[in-house]
Amino acid sequence: MRLILLGPPGAGKGTQASAIVKRYNIPHISTGDIFRLNIKENTPLGKEVKSYLDAGILVPDELVVDIVKDRLKKSDCANGFILDGYPRTINQAEVLDKELAKMGIELDAVINIFLDVQLLIERAVGRRLCKNCGATYHIKFHPPKQDGICDICGRELYQRDDDKEETVKKRIEVYLTQTKPLIEYYKDKDILVNIDGAQSIEDTFNEIINALEK
Ligand code: ADP
Ligand code: ADP
Ligand code: ZN
């Protein structure tokens, strides 16, 4: 299964990706996770991208596209992959198309998760992540069993720096101007699947699976 997860910040892409990768046993490729890991480890790439993430704006295409191209060539992508947070611009999508054509493969579906702006803000601002395993929680909608502690590995949860309300609003604005045009782009290719992100995590997942397996 070769998939893209499209949608505004806070729509539930990462949450759904974690469930989808288990079902199909494919790697989860999140450009946001790759950047955050590099920032945490203070690599040259991390130093270069930090100010963009902090400001809630997109990292320039030239710092993103090669990372994804290289990642797709790794052997664990042979049976498929799920791209989460890439592409985010028409140019990134075109680069991806060319690369997939070179590799002789095609996308199976682009899953577009949509949600109202008010809920997006509430979801992103209440998001908490595990420092260790990356599991995602929400203080109200998906709380851990014990406050501030990961259910899976018992480590501490944290809030992303860019999940402050002002930065979330900026990211939504960036999504609307730079990323939303991708909906039309993939609709024209006949591989777009629209999913209502306002449902529960389970119902959203079931709708995605039904659409993929029908
Ligand atoms: P994205 O990757 O699109 O930014 P996440 O998957 O990280 O979004 O989800 C954003 C926040 O919303 C997280 O705190 C997550 O636990 C919560 N969340 C995700 N899906 C749902 C859902 N269907 N209902 C309620 N909360 C959700
Ligand atoms: P969310 O799903 O909540 O929007 P991500 O973790 O996908 O968050 O992205 C966090 C930040 O990382 C973005 O605001 C942007 O600065 C950067 N980023 C991630 N993916 C890309 C991409 N494909 N192109 C440019 N910037 C990106
Ligand atoms: Zn954990």
Side-chain angles (χ1 to χ4, degrees):
M1 203 57 98
R2 298 185 177 97
L3 306 172
I4 288 177
L5 272 177
L6 199 63
K13 300 180 299 296
T15 300
Q16 294 304 321
S18 312
I20 295 168
V21 299
K22 278 190 203 135
R23 182 169 184 105
Y24 297 116
N25 195 24
I26 49 177
H28 176 194
I29 305 174
S30 159
T31 41
D33 285 350
I34 293 171
F35 291 140
R36 280 185 291 277
L37 185 69
N38 277 274
I39 291 171
K40 190 173 146 200
E41 295 184 342
N42 209 16
T43 66
L45 175 69
K47 285 180 194 153
E48 223 168 342
V49 300
K50 186 176 186 309
S51 62
Y52 298 100
L53 273 86
D54 286 346
I57 56 177
L58 295 185
V59 169
D61 285 351
E62 54 276 22
L63 293 176
V64 188
V65 296
D66 288 339
I67 293 173
V68 173
K69 279 201 230 171
D70 290 344
R71 183 64 189 85
L72 291 175
K73 286 179 192 141
K74 296 249 167 81
S75 59
D76 62 341
C77 292
N79 293 320
F81 51 80
I82 183 157
L83 280 169
D84 164 11
Y86 185 98
R88 264 177 151 99
T89 62
I90 297 281
N91 177 53
Q92 289 181 14
E94 288 170 349
V95 171
L96 177 66
D97 278 346
K98 280 191 204 122
E99 193 60 23
L100 294 176
K102 264 197 240 165
M103 295 170 76
I105 55 181
E106 279 180 14
L107 293 168
D108 291 299
V110 175
I111 301 161
N112 175 46
I113 306 181
F114 61 90
L115 193 63
D116 276 2
V117 169
Q118 207 41 54
L119 257 178
L120 289 175
I121 297 172
E122 205 180 345
R123 286 210 186 156
V125 170
R127 168 163 46 196
R128 298 293 183 274
L129 297 159
C130 175
K131 278 190 174 157
N132 179 49
C133 74
T136 303
Y137 300 88
H138 190 281
I139 50 171
K140 183 164 149 200
F141 304 133
H142 180 47
K145 293 197 183 80
Q146 200 186 336
D147 229 16
I149 302 291
C150 179
D151 289 351
I152 299 164
C153 72
R155 302 278 287 275
E156 214 182 319
L157 304 183
Y158 76 101
Q159 182 175 24
R160 273 168 50 176
D161 287 340
D162 62 347
D163 277 343
K164 296 190 288 282
E165 184 160 344
E166 317 84 77
T167 317
V168 170
K169 284 183 175 158
K170 178 68 197 174
R171 284 158 57 207
I172 292 172
E173 199 185 296
V174 167
Y175 164 82
L176 292 172
T177 53
Q178 293 180 267
T179 307
K180 205 176 172 207
L182 288 173
I183 294 176
E184 281 304 311
Y185 182 87
Y186 287 117
K187 196 169 153 200
D188 290 345
K189 293 185 186 289
D190 246 9
I191 49 172
L192 191 76
V193 176
N194 286 305
I195 301 286
D196 179 1
Q199 310 172 78
S200 70
I201 293 175
E202 293 72 24
D203 288 350
T204 307
F205 178 68
N206 289 332
E207 197 182 324
I208 292 172
I209 297 304
N210 285 339
L212 293 178
E213 296 180 2
K214 77 160 183 263

